[in-house]
Every structure is written in C-alpha cells, then in structure tokens.
Amino acid sequence: LAKTTQPISMDSYEGQEVNITCSHNNIATNDYITWYQQFPSQGPRFIIQGYKTKVTNEVASLFIPADRKSSTLSLPRVSLSDTAVYYCLVGDGYKLSFGAGTTVTVRA
Amino acid sequence: EAQVTQNPRYLITVTGKKLTVTCSQNMNHEYMSWYRQDPGLGLRQIYYSMNVEVTDKGDVPEGYKVSRKEKRNFPLILESPSPNQTSLYFCASSWGDSMNNEQFFGPGTRLTVL
C-alpha cells in the first residue's frame, strides 16, 4: 500500500474554500485515490475518487497532477457542517489503510 | 433502505468473556471488512472478506476471528477480550474490491472491556 501524508488539522471559516493536499510519493500505476469524510462517532462516508486529472461531484473536487504523487481535495464554500475528519486513501485491492486523517474545523 | 447494520451498538464486558459483534448488509455486496478506531490512530483494518468463505487478515487481526458463511453477514468474534480491545468498531461493505469501489460503513459499535 502506498503511504499517504496529509496535514493533521486545518481551520477555516464558513463560505471559504478548503483545500487538503495528500502526498503519496510511492503511488503505484494501478492505484486509485479516494477520499472519505467522517463525523464524530459515525462511520466514514465516501466523498470522491479519482485516478488522474480532475474529478468533480456535487460535494467536492479532486485535483491530481500528472505525476500523481499528490492530490488535493477541494471543498467549496464550506459550512459548519463540513467540520469533520477527512481521509486520503491510495491503493488497489482489498487492504485499506486510513491513517489519522485531517481534522477540518469550520468556524462561523 | 440500503444499509449496513451492526449489533450491539454499545457493549461493556469483562476480560475473557467471549463476545460477537454482528454485521449485516442488504446491498448484496461481495466485500465486507472490519475496522477499529482509536484516538489519534485513524481506522485500522482488522479482517476483510472478498466473498463467502473467503477472508484475510488486515493490519491488526490479533485477538479477533471472523467468518463469512452468508453473503450478507460478517460477524466479528472476540474469543477472550482484553482491555486493549476497548475501541470503536466499524463494519463496511462494497461491491468488488474496496479500493476501487465506495465502501458503506455501519453506525459503529463502542466496546469497553473491563
């Protein structure tokens, strides 16, 4: 499994855009990049997944440069309800490693 | 409603008393997995199952057993629980392999071993 590195925490204010960058220098050719969101005492929830370039859905955007050694999750115009832990996962197959994630705190 | 259910949601037990945490999904998913979550450590995978009768170890399998006799159920068994297994446990399921498919998580089981 590719090791991922992401910031431990980030603070933001309502209405701002939040960008969380995940480093995965040893990503393999077949690996996908997946992000999950977790609220306290709840199970993680899938946000977005990508392989290269840019992926966008109704919740977020995922930017992946050509070398795929990093990726950036972008949350547009965050609200208080976006306060959560965000996990970057990289891999292919069945074994998953979530790591400690990035705690995003959105303030009014 | 498509969902993953876990029972019990909360459990306090004593060291050495065998227990089972059940997990069931109604989405006909092939893949199921168990995780434990401890403060500052994120989620760590305990065991996973690619299909009926096919299971494999995750990162922290010691002290746990699993079985997959039916596609919808994937119970987690603690034969002789110890205090270091006090944790928040999550079950998850997905179509096919877990990295390329969205995983659906259950509500969690908070276990305390005294």
Side-chain angles (χ1 to χ4, degrees):
Chain A
L1 289 176
K3 176 178 169 57
T4 60
T5 302
Q6 50 182 125
I8 295 175
S9 63
M10 297 181 71
D11 288 341
S12 184
Y13 290 92
E14 283 190 294
Q16 290 187 335
E17 178 181 80
V18 172
N19 296 306
I20 309 170
T21 296
C22 179
S23 297
H24 28 80
N25 291 319
N26 59 339
I27 188 170
T29 303
N30 295 331
D31 287 350
Y32 279 76
I33 301 159
T34 310
W35 286 81
Y36 281 81
Q37 173 192 57
Q38 185 181 26
F39 299 113
S41 298
Q42 294 186 25
R45 183 174 70 104
F46 175 92
I47 302 177
I48 197 166
Q49 183 180 74
Y51 183 80
K52 61 180 179 180
T53 63
K54 176 183 174 182
V55 180
T56 297
N57 61 23
E58 65 278 5
V59 177
S61 294
L62 179 59
F63 299 91
I64 306 169
D67 66 7
R68 302 198 332 121
K69 293 185 183 299
S70 67
S71 58
T72 299
L73 174 72
S74 181
L75 306 171
R77 298 179 300 280
V78 294
S79 64
L80 296 176
S81 62
D82 292 314
T83 294
V85 179
Y86 294 82
Y87 297 95
C88 167
L89 282 73
V90 173
D92 175 43
Y94 295 99
K95 295 195 73 169
L96 293 191
S97 179
F98 274 76
T102 298
T103 299
V104 173
T105 303
V106 180
R107 305 182 193 282
Chain B
E1 178 190 356
Q3 60 183 348
V4 178
T5 57
Q6 296 179 225
N7 282 292
R9 295 289 314 280
Y10 303 90
L11 178 61
I12 300 174
T13 189
V14 296
T15 299
K17 186 176 181 181
K18 180 179 179 180
L19 67 92
T20 299
V21 183
T22 64
C23 174
S24 182
Q25 50 93 5
N26 62 0
M27 295 168 279
N28 201 35
H29 285 166
E30 295 175 344
Y31 175 92
M32 297 186 75
S33 182
W34 275 102
Y35 300 87
R36 62 176 289 173
Q37 184 168 33
D38 303 290
L41 296 179
L43 283 89
R44 293 180 291 170
Q45 192 176 42
I46 303 171
Y47 269 95
Y48 60 93
S49 170
M50 293 80 85
N51 215 324
V52 176
E53 302 291 2
V54 183
T55 63
D56 204 349
K57 297 177 181 178
D59 292 327
V60 288
E62 296 77 22
Y64 305 95
K65 285 177 58 177
V66 293
S67 68
R68 186 93 181 272
K69 297 187 182 345
E70 304 168 284
K71 198 171 188 178
R72 64 182 296 129
N73 297 323
F74 190 44
L76 179 70
I77 303 160
L78 285 72
E79 295 271 4
S80 182
S82 63
N84 64 12
Q85 292 179 298
T86 292
S87 186
L88 179 59
Y89 291 86
F90 290 103
C91 178
S93 71
S94 66
W95 295 107
D97 71 86
S98 55
M99 273 310 301
N100 298 331
N101 294 278
E102 176 181 355
Q103 282 202 86
F104 293 84
F105 282 79
T109 295
R110 189 168 294 278
L111 172 66
T112 301
V113 183
L114 303 174

